[in-house]
Amino acid sequence: MKILFAASEAVPFIKSGGLADVAGSLTKAVRGRKHACRVVMPLYADIPDRFRQEMKFVTAINVPLGWRNQYCGVFEYTYQGVKHYFLDNEYYFKRRGLYGFFDDAERFAFFSKAVLEMLGHIDFKPEIIHCNDWQTALVPPYLNVFYRHLETYRDIRTVFTIHNIQYQGAYESGVRFDVAGLPSQAGAVVELDGDTNYMKGAITQCDALTTVSPTYARELMDPWFAHGLDGLIRDHAHKLGGILNGIDFADYNPASDTNITRNFSSSERRGKLANKKDLQLALGLEDRDEAMVIGMVTRLAGHKGLDLVREAFQKIMELDVQFVLLGTGEWQFEKFFKEAVLLYPGRVSVNLAFSEPLARKIYAGSDVFLMPSKSEPCGLSQMIALRYGSIPIVRATGGLHDTINDFGGEFGNGYNFQSYNAYDMLDAIGRANDDFWDKDKWDSHIKTAMECDFSWGRSAAEYIAMYKRLCGDNA
């Protein structure tokens, strides 16, 4: 089969969240199973020069977008066997940052249209276009409205994956005509409650709809999680499925990771303590083996459960633990954690930035990894934490529910709590801290965690099976 993976970001080129990891890893796993899989993404100014200098110019095309006729340069670069196409337009993409601009509606309408326009000018004719989140949500409607009658496009099937339904590409009503360039008779495909909603267009027009975990697929039919799209999701439940994300085991590998102090593995775990000591030293924490280190690498946003951490923080620190945070976000959380450093010197480290090397050190050096999310479509951090022997403490929602089973059950690999409640979270932390004092039990927990397999193998097989169903089982 031939699959084109359309995404607004992908590692190693540029990343703002988990979508980039999926675009970089799933495509490689699909290709490794003898299918032709390529990626298309914007050519952002922030993509490092070491990649830009090696890109090969393919062609220049014009992209019609409503009353506009825009230039698009097509470049290619092959990374770890996967060919990536980069779509260039300096007006839209020669900026610092990926999202949050006043004209994002137009920028990603252009990108979605350019993905399709490109296919008439390259040597790759996909059977599947796999679209991801609102930035590519116009690809399925554009395909059906403007291109389906053409021979090149007639048999293409589309998959749309919702990585986070909170971000829908929602704009005022006129955007669908003046910006997105849809004809009046087709405007209804992206109309929702009188406004424009790009994600609605993908949900209604795609051939298969997926989310990034089985539990999140069920949750999206519940108003609590769906941000207003639950009715639409229920109407299209017949084509909805949840496929759990994975992580790249070659990249996230404590046995070879050059970011950490000492390499270790599930069979040789002594290096875990050396990484803990290095983390404490690097971040100004007390050098105490007996203090359980709680790690968090997260955006400081309400839906990540930071309000629970804030509410219970004093009680958490009464457990005589240490706390390490890496991330940026909402000012009220940044302010709270800055103050916590002053209240608990030598026990709390707050790093209001993002650093991939420091993130790896936290995974490797923390004893437990806290993810008390209000919602979590899949989550990759808990899988990475397991890989590095940091025991996850999670709220059982979305992909956290699908990946972390409580040690109180038969097949535990972490600690979870059900209710979105600070004291239920505190209870889970307390149970982890009690177990932490039993060194034989804790070492067994680390071994169990590190032997969990959340690599892309199983997930890639599920995606390939879905692609085959769309193309015909003999594909």
Side-chain angles (χ1 to χ4, degrees):
M1 286 184 299
K2 295 180 179 179
I3 303 101
L4 181 65
F5 197 90
S8 58
E9 55 186 82
V11 295
F13 305 103
I14 198 160
K15 173 181 175 178
S16 74
L19 169 59
D21 290 301
V22 175
S25 301
L26 172 59
T27 51
K28 186 168 62 173
V30 171
R31 184 183 180 277
R33 283 154 179 77
K34 310 303 181 185
H35 297 283
C37 189
R38 300 185 182 183
V39 180
V40 59
M41 61 182 290
L43 182 57
Y44 299 105
D46 284 350
I47 292 175
D49 285 343
R50 68 180 185 276
F51 297 123
R52 299 172 69 93
Q53 291 170 1
E54 297 297 323
M55 291 178 186
K56 176 185 175 184
F57 176 75
V58 177
T59 188
I61 61 176
N62 289 320
V63 177
L65 186 67
W67 51 268
R68 308 162 197 79
N69 195 32
Q70 300 283 46
Y71 160 84
C72 177
V74 181
F75 293 80
E76 66 179 36
Y77 180 93
T78 299
Y79 180 74
Q80 294 186 349
V82 177
K83 183 172 288 188
H84 292 67
Y85 295 106
F86 295 88
L87 303 187
D88 174 47
N89 179 291
E90 292 191 351
Y91 174 73
Y92 291 128
F93 301 124
K94 192 177 182 180
R95 313 178 186 188
R96 292 301 176 192
L98 281 69
Y99 319 122
F101 298 98
F102 75 97
D103 58 347
D104 277 358
E106 184 177 334
R107 295 170 71 227
F108 291 103
F110 166 81
F111 175 60
S112 295
K113 197 76 177 293
V115 167
L116 293 164
E117 197 68 29
M118 173 189 75
L119 298 182
H121 302 271
I122 62 173
D123 62 352
F124 186 71
K125 302 297 182 281
E127 296 156 87
I128 300 285
I129 302 178
H130 188 155
C131 308
N132 295 269
D133 272 351
W134 75 266
Q135 294 91 344
T136 60
L138 287 180
V139 171
Y142 280 160
L143 174 63
N144 291 337
V145 171
F146 294 114
Y147 297 92
R148 184 64 75 185
H149 66 286
L150 300 173
E151 180 65 29
T152 297
Y153 304 86
R154 188 165 296 147
D155 297 324
I156 293 175
R157 298 292 178 260
T158 54
V159 176
F160 182 67
T161 296
I162 300 172
H163 295 261
N164 191 334
I165 204 168
Q166 183 175 352
Y167 307 103
Q168 301 173 6
Y171 300 99
E172 58 90 18
S173 60
V175 165
R176 61 185 180 271
F177 304 119
D178 184 61
V179 174
L182 286 167
S184 57
Q185 65 270 25
V189 301
V190 294
E191 186 275 329
L192 185 68
D193 298 329
D195 292 325
T196 300
N197 190 295
Y198 285 8
M199 189 172 282
K200 181 204 171 182
I203 292 169
T204 60
Q205 299 296 302
C206 70
D207 297 298
L209 177 64
T210 73
T211 68
V212 290
S213 71
T215 295
Y216 193 57
R218 295 190 296 271
E219 289 175 343
L220 290 188
M221 291 182 272
D222 183 332
W224 173 260
F225 295 96
H227 293 272
L229 295 186
D230 51 290
L232 188 67
I233 298 290
R234 289 193 296 272
D235 289 344
H236 293 270
H238 61 283
K239 59 183 179 183
L240 173 66
I243 300 176
L244 192 68
N245 282 340
I247 60 172
D248 187 334
F249 264 36
D251 183 17
Y252 295 107
N253 185 0
S256 58
D257 194 334
T258 58
N259 295 289
I260 65 178
T261 301
R262 181 173 168 184
N263 295 123
F264 62 102
S265 66
S266 62
S267 59
E268 179 45 76
R269 299 180 293 282
R270 288 177 294 180
K272 177 75 176 171
L273 181 58
N275 283 283
K276 177 176 178 175
K277 286 182 172 294
D278 178 69
L279 185 68
Q280 290 172 322
L281 177 64
L283 299 183
L285 299 175
E286 297 168 355
D287 182 6
R288 296 176 58 214
D289 296 350
E290 68 274 15
M292 184 177 78
V293 175
I294 301 172
M296 291 190 78
V297 177
T298 183
R299 284 181 289 120
L300 303 187
H303 71 273
K304 292 295 187 179
L306 275 302
D307 52 336
L308 301 188
V309 178
R310 179 173 58 188
E311 182 179 348
F313 200 76
Q314 180 179 339
K315 294 291 186 182
I316 293 172
M317 298 312 292
E318 287 175 5
L319 297 172
D320 195 29
V321 298
Q322 295 178 350
F323 181 86
V324 176
L325 174 73
L326 173 64
T328 61
E330 298 173 17
W331 69 269
Q332 66 267 33
F333 296 124
E334 291 194 357
K335 179 176 182 291
F336 170 79
F337 287 113
K338 284 179 183 177
E339 293 172 350
V341 175
L342 300 177
L343 289 172
Y344 302 99
R347 297 181 58 204
V348 173
S349 172
V350 173
N351 307 273
L352 299 177
F354 186 76
S355 163
E356 184 64 28
L358 180 54
R360 300 294 183 99
K361 290 179 185 297
I362 293 172
Y363 288 123
S366 59
D367 296 299
V368 298
F369 193 87
L370 182 59
M371 295 182 70
S373 304
K374 182 179 291 185
S375 66
E376 192 69 57
C378 177
L380 300 178
S381 292
Q382 80 278 16
M383 302 180 193
I384 301 169
L386 288 168
R387 181 80 165 138
Y388 285 77
S390 182
I391 310 301
I393 302 173
V394 307
R395 192 176 89 82
T397 184
L400 301 178
H401 177 273
D402 294 326
T403 53
I404 305 302
N405 298 311
D406 199 277
F407 277 120
E410 188 175 356
F411 301 107
N413 62 350
Y415 300 87
N416 59 37
F417 60 101
Q418 301 294 322
S419 301
Y420 192 72
N421 179 283
Y423 290 90
D424 285 353
M425 178 192 71
L426 183 63
D427 176 73
I429 295 172
R431 289 190 290 114
N433 195 45
D434 289 343
D435 286 350
F436 177 76
W437 285 96
D438 184 334
K439 296 309 177 186
D440 289 338
K441 175 187 280 190
W442 196 254
D443 185 61
S444 175
H445 284 356
I446 293 173
K447 185 175 187 295
T448 296
M450 296 187 71
E451 289 178 347
C452 291
D453 184 359
F454 288 106
S455 61
W456 271 108
R458 181 196 66 255
S459 303
E462 290 186 53
Y463 275 112
I464 290 168
M466 178 187 62
Y467 297 152
K468 285 185 174 181
R469 288 194 298 272
L470 291 178
C471 295
D473 288 340
N474 293 324

